[in-house]
């Protein structure tokens, strides 16, 4: 890909970098003492002078060097750290990050000038390395982008480390080359997806799937005959879901949707989060016809998302993946509970954020959000004043007295702006929150909850809520969260429900909750998983990455 690093590695052999003594670290003012210390090397004196006179590198880097007596990290007696950094700089493209050709070229020039010049030239080379390194470390550890700047509904905050933090961590490492190599996320999830990146790029570079898209048409079921069946068979073979090779030189004229094809369709549907029913409808066909370029973009975007969450999510945490319409309880990296979920419809997107679940509420009441009250319930009341009574609701105090009989109010006199009351729905079978809600108090008023609308969980696309996350198996989730807190979670929770009144249950062990948006990953069996970009966030993130230099294919030569 890029040969600058190889030239550089040859050049620096014998010049190198030392892991400096921290003899000055205990000194209250190591920078001041350096000038009068005989032990200071000429290179350290030159580096200190560089910081004192240039002001360009910044106080945070200066503080790290002051602690180590201004002894160099990159331009000392060993080349190991410099060579390790050059190596990883050449590999950023393999992580879906910008090619670093220009950075490498500048480092090469600066280093060569430093090695051929005096100690002050070496000092400039030393600082150039540290500045390039700290920019690299921030990019591969926490992501190239600032999520909130990309989309205001992405409230994800990667680990916030300064340049000094990154350089200090390197300076303290006993194995600096190993430290640099381990800067990228070390999770199996990230490594598996990163390995697939190069394979996807090979596909795109080779022209894509090499099989045309399947024409639109009627829904197909096993046993049907259709002239598109050979094209479907060819497409699934190109995608890796159909096993076996076609007979060379023999056209496929089998138009029957046979059991062999059905098995391939089921495999494809499972890989794309679709109901595995073997029915080739509009959603299955749309997923089947996605181009290799589109899938490659998803892989690159989701590597960036993995870097955003490159931190400790908690030994035990709840992980909701919105495009997958599923939630998991994760314990030490393993899913111990999973359930289908319903998330916010595109008009009421569920935001991405993390918080901590501290309690659940059995038999919850529901204070209706103002927007739902005025935009959805008020029109119902204007058509039928008994709507509140029929739905176990009542008016709450507002800017007007509460009427004794809500069915006698003339609601036609109110608009969305002038409606004076709040509305609350009592506990009961028809309550919109069902029998339990799971609370992690946050600025968005988002939580997980049960729902009486059970039929929606049968669908493969489940974006129907106003933003909260509805859980298909809420009772089982409650039991799982109470495990270890009470002797028999099932009987305990059933007793609480049986009382019929709202009750708060505090979790003795609070649980971190992460509402995430992952449209591509590699599962434990090594199968590539893709999901629909329901909120259009993939495109937004990729466009931002592209503006920062990320490319589908390396065009630098």
């Amino acid at each position: 890909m890029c040969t600058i690093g190889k030239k550089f590695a040859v050049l620096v052999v014998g010049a190198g970098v030392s892991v400096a003594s921290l003899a000055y670290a205990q000194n209250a003012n190591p920078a001041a003492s350096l000038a009068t210390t005989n032990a200071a090397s000429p290179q350290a004196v030159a580096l200190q002078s560089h910081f004192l006179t240039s002001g360009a590198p910044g106080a945070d880097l200066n503080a790290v060097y002051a602690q180590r007596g201004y002894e160099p990290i990159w331009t000392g007696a060993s080349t190991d750290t410099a060579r390790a950094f050059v190596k990883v700089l050449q590999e950023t493209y393999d992580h879906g990050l910008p090619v670093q050709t220009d950075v490498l070229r500048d480092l090469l020039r600066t280093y060569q000038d430093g090695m051929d010049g005096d100690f002050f030239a070496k000092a400039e080379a030393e600082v150039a390395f540290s500045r390039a390194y700290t920019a690299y470390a921030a990019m591969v550890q926490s992501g190239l982008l600032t999520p909130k700047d990309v989309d205001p509904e992405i409230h994800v905050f990667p680990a916030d480390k300064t340049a000094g933090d990154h350089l200090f961590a390197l300076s303290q490492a006993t194995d600096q080359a190993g430290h640099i190599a381990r800067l990228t996320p070390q999770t199996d999830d990230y490594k598996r997806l990163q390995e697939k990146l190069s394979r996807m790029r090979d596909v795109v570079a080779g022209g894509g799937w090499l099989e045309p898209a399947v024409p639109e048409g009627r829904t197909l079921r096993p046993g049907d005959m259709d002239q598109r069946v050979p094209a479907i068979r060819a497409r699934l073979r190109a995608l890796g879901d159909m096993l076996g090779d076609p007979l060379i030189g023999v056209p496929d004229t089998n138009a029957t949707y046979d059991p062999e094809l059905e098995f391939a369709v089921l495999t494809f549907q499972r890989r794309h989060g679709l109901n595995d029913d073997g029915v080739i409808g509009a959603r299955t066909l749309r997923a089947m016809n996605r181009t290799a370029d589109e899938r490659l973009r998803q892989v690159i975007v989701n590597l960036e998302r993995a870097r955003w969450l490159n931190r400790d999510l908690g030994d035990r945490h709840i992980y909701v993946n919105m495009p997958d319409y599923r939630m998991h309880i994760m314990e030490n990296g393993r899913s111990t509970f999973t359930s289908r979920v319903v998330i916010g419809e595109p008009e009421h997107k569920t935001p991405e954020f993390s918080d901590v679940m501290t309690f659940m509420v059995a038999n919850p009441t529901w204070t209706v959000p103002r927007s739902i009250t005025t935009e959805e319930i008020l029109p119902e009341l204007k058509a039928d004043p008994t709507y509140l009574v029929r739905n176990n609701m009542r008016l709450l105090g507002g800017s007007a007295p509460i009427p004794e009989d809500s069915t006698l109010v003339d609601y036609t006199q109110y608009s969305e702006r002038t409606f004076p009351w709040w509305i609350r729905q009592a506990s009961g079978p028809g309550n919109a929150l069902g029998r339990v809600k799971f609370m992690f108090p946050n600025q968005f008023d988002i939580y997980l909850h049960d729902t009486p609308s059970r039929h929606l969980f049968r669908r493969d696309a489940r974006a129907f809520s106003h933003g909260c996350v509805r859980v298909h198996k809420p009772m089982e989730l409650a039991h799982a969260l109470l495990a270890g807190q009470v002797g028999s979670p099932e009987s305990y929770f059933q007793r609480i429900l049986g009382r019929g009144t709202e009750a708060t249950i505090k979790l003795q062990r609070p649980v971190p909750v992460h509402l995430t948006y992952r449209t591509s990953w590699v599962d434990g069996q090594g199968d590539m998983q893709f999901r629909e970009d329901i909120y259009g966030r993939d495109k937004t993130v990729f466009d931002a990455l592209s503006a920062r230099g990320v490319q589908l294919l390396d065009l630098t030569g």
Side-chain angles (χ1 to χ4, degrees):
M1 185 188 72
C2 175
T3 59
I4 290 176
K6 294 179 181 179
K7 296 176 184 176
F8 182 78
V10 173
L11 175 72
V12 300
V13 171
V17 184
S18 65
V19 181
S21 166
L22 297 180
Y24 293 96
Q26 303 303 319
N27 191 299
N29 190 357
S33 68
L34 179 61
T36 59
T37 302
N38 293 330
S41 69
Q43 191 167 350
V45 173
L47 185 57
Q48 183 192 27
S49 175
H50 180 82
F51 275 102
L52 291 175
T53 57
S54 72
D60 50 351
L61 298 188
N62 185 18
V64 176
Y65 278 106
Q67 187 180 38
R68 57 188 287 112
Y70 288 95
E71 290 297 334
I73 296 172
W74 313 99
T75 57
S78 168
T79 64
D80 290 350
T81 306
R83 282 185 290 158
F85 181 43
V86 168
K87 180 178 184 295
V88 299
L89 269 180
Q90 295 177 86
E91 297 170 352
T92 56
Y93 173 74
D94 300 327
H95 292 268
L97 290 166
V99 176
Q100 299 295 296
T101 304
D102 293 341
V103 176
L104 282 164
R105 183 182 295 114
D106 291 344
L107 279 181
L108 170 60
R109 184 182 301 113
T110 305
Y111 193 94
Q112 188 169 14
D113 291 345
M115 294 303 97
D116 294 341
D118 56 24
F119 288 116
F120 292 97
K122 281 189 175 184
E124 289 187 3
E126 176 71 23
V127 172
F129 257 88
S130 289
R131 296 180 74 177
Y133 169 76
T134 55
Y136 166 83
M139 176 175 65
V140 299
Q141 275 200 330
S142 304
L144 182 63
L145 307 174
T146 300
K148 196 72 164 57
D149 293 344
V150 177
D151 187 325
E153 291 176 333
I154 304 177
H155 299 264
V156 178
F157 302 97
D160 186 16
K161 294 182 180 180
T162 66
D165 292 334
H166 285 298
L167 190 62
F168 179 75
L170 175 65
S171 72
Q172 297 291 291
T174 55
D175 175 12
Q176 292 184 335
H179 178 84
I180 293 172
R182 291 188 294 271
L183 285 173
T184 56
Q186 296 299 296
T187 63
D188 290 339
D189 172 61
Y190 184 86
K191 292 177 182 178
R192 288 194 296 257
L193 190 58
Q194 192 245 331
E195 289 170 359
K196 292 287 187 182
L197 175 62
S198 62
R199 299 182 189 180
M200 286 298 304
R201 278 180 162 147
D202 288 343
V203 171
V204 172
W209 306 126
L210 300 182
E211 295 293 346
V214 179
E216 295 183 1
R218 66 187 179 93
T219 296
L220 297 179
R221 292 175 172 79
D224 286 352
M225 293 192 65
D226 193 284
Q227 294 305 310
R228 295 174 298 151
V229 166
I232 294 172
R233 195 177 286 114
R235 187 74 168 186
L236 291 179
R237 188 173 284 114
L239 295 173
D241 297 295
M242 185 99 189
L243 302 179
D245 296 322
L247 295 175
I248 298 176
V250 179
D252 182 359
T253 59
N254 179 8
T256 302
Y257 184 175
D258 57 23
E260 183 183 18
L261 178 57
E262 181 184 4
F263 182 83
V265 170
L266 293 172
T267 301
F268 174 85
Q269 289 175 326
R270 294 184 193 110
R271 285 201 309 113
H272 293 78
L274 303 165
N275 286 339
D276 54 345
D277 52 13
V279 176
I280 306 176
R283 286 181 56 80
T284 295
L285 193 62
R286 184 166 62 247
M288 204 178 289
N289 282 335
R290 293 296 184 193
T291 67
D293 281 29
E294 289 176 299
R295 295 310 190 194
L296 176 55
R297 289 187 182 91
Q298 284 187 277
V299 171
I300 290 173
V301 164
N302 283 279
L303 283 169
E304 175 74 356
R305 288 190 176 117
R307 289 187 288 268
W308 291 348
L309 284 178
N310 183 27
R311 53 188 170 83
D312 184 7
L313 302 182
D315 292 342
R316 182 177 186 243
H317 63 268
I318 290 175
Y319 181 92
V320 178
N321 184 7
M322 289 180 266
D324 191 31
Y325 303 109
R326 296 196 76 87
M327 64 143 294
H328 300 264
I329 294 180
M330 302 296 297
E331 300 195 50
N332 299 312
R334 186 172 64 90
S335 175
T336 59
F337 171 84
T338 186
S339 173
R340 288 189 169 207
V341 297
V342 168
I343 65 168
E345 58 190 351
E347 293 77 17
H348 300 93
K349 300 180 182 71
T350 301
E352 296 171 59
F353 70 99
S354 297
D355 219 298
V356 179
M357 185 179 295
T358 53
F359 66 98
M360 64 180 81
V361 178
N363 300 312
T365 59
W366 180 42
T367 301
V368 184
R370 186 70 181 176
S371 59
I372 298 178
T373 294
T374 57
E375 295 172 15
E376 299 181 26
I377 295 181
L378 180 57
E380 295 284 353
L381 286 170
K382 289 179 178 180
D384 179 8
T386 68
Y387 178 87
L388 297 181
V389 175
R390 290 190 292 102
N391 287 277
N392 203 19
M393 294 176 170
R394 63 186 179 88
L395 297 173
L396 297 180
S399 59
I402 302 174
E404 292 185 8
D405 188 344
S406 64
T407 65
L408 300 180
V409 175
D410 178 12
Y411 295 103
T412 60
Q413 64 181 305
Y414 299 112
S415 66
E416 292 183 13
R417 185 178 58 83
T418 62
F419 188 75
W421 301 289
W422 289 83
I423 293 174
R424 177 172 293 165
Q425 187 177 40
S427 303
N431 186 281
L433 305 183
R435 295 163 293 175
V436 59
K437 64 179 180 178
F438 305 89
M439 302 300 293
F440 40 106
N442 56 79
Q443 61 178 310
F444 313 104
D445 199 24
I446 296 293
Y447 43 88
L448 277 63
H449 65 86
D450 182 18
T451 175
S453 302
R454 312 299 298 172
H455 66 284
L456 296 176
F457 292 110
R458 293 195 295 270
R459 302 193 183 187
D460 43 17
R462 298 186 291 277
F464 298 108
S465 81
H466 285 82
C468 283
V469 179
R470 305 174 189 173
V471 181
H472 185 214
K473 298 190 288 188
M475 300 300 105
E476 294 88 339
L477 175 58
H479 301 159
L481 293 173
L482 290 171
Q485 179 169 326
V486 295
S488 174
E490 293 85 352
S491 58
Y492 171 83
F493 194 65
Q494 195 58 46
R495 285 199 307 273
I496 300 294
L497 286 176
R499 297 171 185 169
T501 57
E502 190 172 62
T504 297
I505 304 171
K506 183 178 179 180
L507 295 178
Q508 294 176 0
R509 185 183 175 189
V511 183
V513 178
H514 307 285
L515 302 187
T516 68
Y517 194 93
R518 293 289 300 276
T519 58
S520 175
W521 69 94
V522 182
D523 64 24
Q525 288 70 49
D527 293 328
M528 193 76 232
Q529 297 282 332
F530 290 107
R531 299 295 183 268
E532 281 295 299
D533 181 18
I534 49 178
Y535 294 158
R537 290 177 184 166
D538 277 5
K539 182 181 186 308
T540 301
V541 174
F542 185 81
D543 287 349
L545 288 171
S546 181
R548 294 288 299 275
V550 171
Q551 306 171 63
L552 284 184
L553 300 176
D554 182 9
L555 304 178
T556 61

